[in-house]
């Protein structure tokens, strides 16, 4: 049976109605699945987020030492338990990935997944904040382009800065919308994010840096003086920007990562 027929068969057998809100688009393209799993080998523990019906999981179970899956939908967890009953190297956790203490359940694990579109950037940010070293994920193409852009480029968003701060990121392949059941309205790409040994810039308090970037991009239309004044008093901020020779009327997306780090350091010490 090919993977398309197998996916249809499982959907019918377990009476699955793909839940749009949970981003349930099941991948059946063998080439794409192998690409996502291409970097997995026998020494690896893998954290798979959103295993769904288990198509990617079954490849991971053959290639890795251990697979830990975190899936929000209890019905999917039931299917996985039945499908993979014979596998001793699988752990199934029925929880929201954003509520999981990743370092407790899977420290040193590589993350491999076909992520739900609706929370892709939150998941990637969460993984980076939790110091995950190796992430290979299938995500929406535009988000992949944003993540792999450089700060200052047109597609850049807050996530561009987070990734650039602590990781290298590259798109390793594209996957059409017709490779999924049901087919989503967007195309996808596989990205590989590798954490750097040291972040690209030094900063005294990472949290202030991340908060600064988040604040600036949620208030994108405002000047930096106005958007950042929610983080510290306006006059103090004016002084900091003047000291760093940064024009207070520019927008957040015009700042470099180094400038964000310098502002964060002066907020911390002033
Ligand atoms: N891995 C499967 C595949 O490739 O066919 C399914 C991928 S589907 C795009 C995303 C999966 O993530 C769904 O099974 C969905 O239920 C699950 N999911 C959605 N939100 C989640 C969350 N917050 N935590 C964990 N899993 C989640």
């Amino acid at each position: 049976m090919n993977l398309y027929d197998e996916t249809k068969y499982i959907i019918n057998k377990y009476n699955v109605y793909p839940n749009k809100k949970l981003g349930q688009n099941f991948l059946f393209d063998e080439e794409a699945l192998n690409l996502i799993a291409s970097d997995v080998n026998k020494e690896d523990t893998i954290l798979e987020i959103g295993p769904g019906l288990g198509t990617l999981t079954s490849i991971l179970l053959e290639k890795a030492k251990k697979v830990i899956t975190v899936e929000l939908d209890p019905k999917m967890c039931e299917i996985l338990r039945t499908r993979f009953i014979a596998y001793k190297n699988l752990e199934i956790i029925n929880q929201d990935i954003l509520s999981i203490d990743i370092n407790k359940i899977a420290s040193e694990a590589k993350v491999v997944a076909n992520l739900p579109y609706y929370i892709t950037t939150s998941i990637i940010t969460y993984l980076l904040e939790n110091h995950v070293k190796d992430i290979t994920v299938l995500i929406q193409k535009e988000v992949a382009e944003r993540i792999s852009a450089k700060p200052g480029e047109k597609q850049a968003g807050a996530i561009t800065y987070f990734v650039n701060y602590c990781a290298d990121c590259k798109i390793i392949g594209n996957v059409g919308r017709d490779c999924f059941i049901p087919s989503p309205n967007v195309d996808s790409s596989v990205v590989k994010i590798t954490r750097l040994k040291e972040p690209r810039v030094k900063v005294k308090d990472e949290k202030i840096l991340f908060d600064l970037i988040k604040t600036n991009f949620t208030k994108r239309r405002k000047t930096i003086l106005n958007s950042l004044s929610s983080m510290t008093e306006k006059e103090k901020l004016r002084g900091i920007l003047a000291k760093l020779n940064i024009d207070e009327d520019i927008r957040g997306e015009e700042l470099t990562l180094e400038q964000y780090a310098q502002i964060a350091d002066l907020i911390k010490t002033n």
Side-chain angles (χ1 to χ4, degrees):
M1 211 188 304
N2 64 35
L3 276 180
Y4 175 81
D5 291 338
E6 191 179 313
T7 308
K8 279 270 181 206
Y9 172 79
I10 296 170
I11 287 176
N12 289 334
K13 179 172 175 191
Y14 294 99
N15 254 321
V16 172
Y17 295 92
N19 185 332
K20 219 174 166 179
K21 280 197 186 131
L22 290 183
Q24 288 180 350
N25 301 97
F26 304 113
L27 180 62
F28 62 83
D29 184 83
E30 196 151 351
E31 205 180 311
L33 287 154
N34 286 328
L35 182 63
I36 306 172
S38 54
D39 219 11
V40 175
N41 49 61
K42 267 291 167 212
E43 301 86 65
D44 291 334
T45 296
I46 302 297
L47 171 62
E48 189 194 358
I49 301 162
L53 305 172
T55 318
L56 179 59
T57 321
S58 77
I59 298 174
L60 297 174
L61 284 168
E62 297 303 333
K63 290 188 82 174
K65 183 170 80 182
K66 181 167 186 191
V67 181
I68 301 166
T69 60
V70 178
E71 168 61 61
L72 187 57
D73 185 343
K75 173 143 185 166
M76 296 297 146
C77 293
E78 264 321 300
I79 296 172
L80 295 170
R81 276 187 207 106
T82 314
R83 260 194 95 175
F84 300 118
I85 194 159
Y87 285 81
K88 301 280 172 271
N89 60 337
L90 173 64
E91 185 180 336
I92 300 164
I93 302 174
N94 181 199
Q95 228 170 296
D96 178 347
I97 184 65
L98 299 178
S99 69
I100 289 268
D101 181 345
I102 292 177
N103 289 306
K104 211 165 166 187
I105 64 142
S107 70
E108 301 300 312
K110 289 181 176 173
V111 169
V112 176
N114 168 17
L115 290 180
Y117 291 149
Y118 76 107
I119 44 165
T120 303
T121 50
S122 307
I123 294 178
I124 292 176
T125 307
Y126 190 67
L127 296 175
L128 292 175
E129 282 170 350
N130 280 280
H131 296 256
V132 175
K133 290 199 187 88
D134 201 307
I135 305 167
T136 309
V137 282
L138 181 80
I139 58 178
Q140 188 180 334
K141 192 158 182 257
E142 290 87 73
V143 180
E145 285 164 356
R146 184 154 4 109
I147 289 176
S148 53
K150 296 275 168 292
E153 285 181 2
K154 209 172 101 226
Q155 312 95 308
I159 186 80
T160 315
Y161 286 80
F162 296 147
V163 172
N164 209 263
Y165 168 67
C166 59
D168 279 332
C169 173
K170 61 172 190 263
I171 296 179
I172 59 170
N174 295 316
V175 180
R177 59 194 75 190
D178 50 353
C179 295
F180 301 83
I181 302 173
S183 175
N185 306 328
V186 291
D187 292 320
S188 298
S189 299
V190 181
V191 291
K192 184 160 174 47
I193 301 171
T194 315
R195 203 179 169 83
L196 302 167
K197 284 205 170 67
E198 296 290 332
R200 283 211 160 76
V201 296
K202 275 200 173 1
V203 66
K204 292 192 169 70
D205 189 329
E206 217 172 68
K207 186 171 179 325
I208 298 182
L209 174 70
F210 280 25
D211 285 349
L212 265 179
I213 296 169
K214 268 185 212 164
T215 308
N216 245 340
F217 277 89
T218 41
K219 299 176 183 171
R220 230 185 153 123
R221 287 173 193 283
K222 294 192 173 181
T223 64
I224 48 171
L225 183 68
N226 285 327
S227 72
L228 295 183
S229 53
S230 61
M231 287 203 51
T232 187
E233 297 140 42
K234 208 166 191 166
E235 278 320 303
K236 188 171 136 186
L237 182 63
R238 193 166 255 143
I240 290 174
L241 294 175
K243 195 167 176 181
L244 294 171
N245 251 329
I246 298 172
D247 179 352
E248 61 181 48
D249 290 328
I250 62 171
R251 324 247 161 226
E253 66 243 41
E254 295 174 68
L255 288 175
T256 64
L257 186 58
E258 289 75 13
Q259 287 172 318
Y260 272 111
Q262 288 166 341
I263 298 172
D265 280 353
L266 288 179
I267 289 180
K268 173 93 178 164
T269 49
N270 270 274

